[in-house]
Amino acid sequence: MPSSDHPEIDRLVAELEEAEAYEQRLRQVIVDVRDRLAAGEHAAALSMLNAALNDIDAATDVVTPHARR
């Protein structure tokens, strides 16, 4: 990604890109869990949901503003 003369804009763009990637990963988890449930693999689906919840808990910085450095 090219750098601009505005570091704050660069930071916000990078943060937005991270948030979009995070959203895509969560959407894929939903699709995968739905497929496992449809296949009757309830334990696997539950395990995937637990892993997703752990990831969400660990990724609070995606939805919480950062302190300026």
Side-chain angles (χ1 to χ4, degrees), residues 6-55:
H6 305 284
E8 180 68 6
I9 291 173
D10 292 340
R11 184 189 68 76
L12 291 171
V13 168
E15 197 167 309
L16 179 60
E17 289 171 348
E18 271 186 61
E20 289 172 339
Y22 182 74
E23 176 191 12
Q24 288 302 314
R25 286 191 304 273
L26 289 179
R27 287 180 182 277
Q28 187 60 51
V29 167
I30 292 168
V31 169
D32 294 344
V33 167
R34 183 187 62 209
D35 291 346
R36 294 290 177 115
L37 288 172
E41 301 173 8
H42 303 116
L46 183 59
S47 178
M48 293 168 71
L49 288 172
N50 283 329
L53 286 173
N54 286 335
D55 290 344

